[in-house]
Amino acid sequence: MIISASRRTDIPSYYSDWFCNRIKEGLVCVRNPVNPRQVSRISLSPETVDCIVFWTKNPEPMLARLGVLSAYQYYFQFTLTGYGRDVERNLPPKKEKLIPTFLKLAEKLGNERVIWRYDPILFTEKYTPQYHLHAFGQIAAALRGYTQRCVISFVDIYAKNRKNMAAAGAYELGEIQQMEFCREISRIAKANGMCVGSCAEKIDLQQCGIEHNCCIDKNLIERLAGCKINAGKDNNQRTECGCVESVDIGTYNTCRNGCLYCYANHSEESVQKNCGKYDAAFPILCDVVRAEDKLSERKAKSMREPQIGLFEKGL
């Protein structure tokens, strides 16, 4: 089983105490976002969990807690963009805080296990293609040697962010402009020792030197685990998504980063309401198991394929 922590919220930044308590207790509960009465109890034992994939914009609170993960394989997806607080309202300063945090994390884990995400890319009157290329180049130079891969995507419009995107004056590039932009992104990354992958993009960017990316990456997980992983495509994600199947342990409407483009929060009011319920001892993030809930054990097992010895093969 692969754990996603989390597409729904920034666990490392805001809920590292809760996460570490879940690891120590060896279990977590997750409410089904489609059917809220259903709650799954999931084992987090090292024998069951093949890898943990973290998604974050600020893993600084986790730096001193990595020892709790000594029995697990894991890696970080670290989003670091050129936006100011008009778009990413609650993030610390990039140059003074987040870039140094990226470097510290990579020094602890190695540059394969910290993946830089420059996404989503949003074009406005302020955040023009030229602006993004300049910001991307500055960040890439600062991260040179500290990561092997950068992941990009272009902003998607959902019901949850449509109003904000309209207010920001967001626009799309034409296909020729988009290709030129992506070629330059790829050139800058390559000059700084990185390859670039796209996240769930319909457009084929391989001619620009950008491959389709798997954020929950079977190949990377197999390298970290030192064995084959019997995992298939995650059918709960978009068709264009290349990720393999995982179990997300986060809760929607709990991320406090305040990003204008966010699709995981309904509103600031819903975030404040849920965050007011937070208790690091609760088995569910920002929630409790209620009497009317249907609580069930999720059948989960390791997807590691046992290594077969020479004589077991009958050779």
Side-chain angles (χ1 to χ4, degrees):
M1 176 178 61
I2 299 166
I3 294 294
S4 171
S6 158
R7 286 184 173 97
R8 300 170 182 171
T9 190
D10 195 331
I11 288 175
S13 183
Y14 298 107
Y15 306 112
S16 57
D17 288 337
W18 172 84
F19 177 80
C20 289
N21 285 340
R22 297 300 92 228
I23 290 293
K24 291 173 183 176
E25 292 187 25
L27 63 88
V28 64
C29 289
V30 179
R31 189 175 297 281
N32 186 334
V34 178
N35 187 346
R37 291 290 181 89
Q38 293 182 347
V39 176
S40 297
R41 184 160 49 200
I42 303 162
S43 170
L44 293 179
S45 73
E47 292 75 27
T48 300
V49 176
D50 301 309
C51 189
I52 302 170
V53 181
F54 293 102
W55 313 71
T56 185
K57 289 183 168 71
N58 180 19
E60 194 274 337
M62 285 290 293
L63 290 179
R65 297 177 165 93
L66 295 176
V68 77
L69 296 171
S70 60
Y72 299 84
Q73 301 298 336
Y74 61 95
Y75 63 94
F76 281 78
Q77 305 259 357
F78 191 146
T79 298
L80 188 54
T81 70
Y83 298 117
R85 289 200 171 185
D86 56 331
V87 174
E88 295 173 338
R89 289 171 287 187
N90 299 329
L91 294 188
K94 310 290 176 68
K95 184 176 180 180
E96 294 80 11
K97 184 74 172 181
L98 295 181
I99 289 176
T101 297
F102 192 109
L103 305 187
K104 290 176 185 176
L105 185 63
E107 286 171 351
K108 288 177 177 288
L109 302 183
N111 64 9
E112 185 179 34
R113 294 169 66 191
V114 187
I115 297 166
W116 172 31
R117 301 185 68 92
Y118 190 93
D119 81 317
I121 298 172
L122 165 69
F123 297 113
T124 68
E125 184 177 352
K126 175 180 178 180
Y127 296 107
T128 63
Q130 293 73 26
Y131 180 101
H132 279 295
L133 291 174
H134 179 70
F136 185 86
Q138 287 189 316
I139 299 171
L143 303 185
R144 182 182 178 92
Y146 288 87
T147 188
Q148 297 180 13
R149 172 174 290 269
C150 177
V151 176
I152 66 165
S153 72
F154 297 96
V155 71
D156 290 311
I157 308 300
Y158 297 94
K160 295 178 183 178
N161 67 6
R162 183 174 289 113
K163 183 178 179 181
N164 286 342
M165 294 298 94
Y171 66 88
E172 296 181 355
L173 297 183
E175 185 174 343
I176 294 175
Q177 287 179 298
Q178 189 176 32
M179 287 295 183
E180 291 175 350
F181 176 84
C182 289
R183 286 190 187 96
E184 189 62 12
I185 286 284
S186 179
R187 184 196 67 78
I188 295 169
K190 186 176 180 180
N192 286 281
M194 307 168 194
C195 62
V196 184
S198 64
C199 176
E201 289 295 325
K202 293 181 181 179
I203 188 169
D204 187 351
L205 299 174
Q206 292 189 60
Q207 62 179 292
C208 303
I210 297 174
E211 61 189 33
H212 285 294
N213 184 68
C214 304
C215 301
I216 298 186
D217 186 345
K218 179 180 177 180
N219 292 332
L220 174 55
I221 293 169
E222 287 179 338
R223 289 198 300 273
L224 296 179
C227 64
K228 291 290 185 181
I229 299 293
N230 185 22
K233 176 177 167 50
D234 191 338
N235 293 321
N236 293 316
Q237 304 301 322
R238 289 172 288 172
T239 303
E240 298 78 19
C241 177
C243 291
V244 295
E245 56 195 307
S246 64
V247 177
D248 200 296
I249 63 170
T251 299
Y252 286 118
N253 297 302
T254 60
C255 186
R256 292 185 278 165
N257 286 328
C259 299
L260 204 65
Y261 49 74
C262 182
Y263 65 86
N265 294 335
H266 286 294
S267 64
E268 291 186 20
E269 292 75 19
S270 63
V271 173
Q272 291 175 1
K273 179 180 178 181
N274 286 332
C275 290
K277 304 174 186 176
Y278 174 62
D279 188 318
F282 288 172
I284 307 180
L285 182 61
C286 295
D287 202 353
V288 294
V289 180
R290 308 184 186 103
E292 64 270 22
D293 289 335
K294 181 180 178 181
L295 181 63
S296 60
E297 297 285 340
R298 179 162 184 149
K299 294 180 180 179
K301 62 180 181 179
S302 171
M303 295 184 289
R304 303 182 191 101
E305 292 186 359
Q307 294 182 345
I308 301 174
L310 178 65
F311 295 103
E312 292 175 286
K313 292 181 180 179
L315 300 179

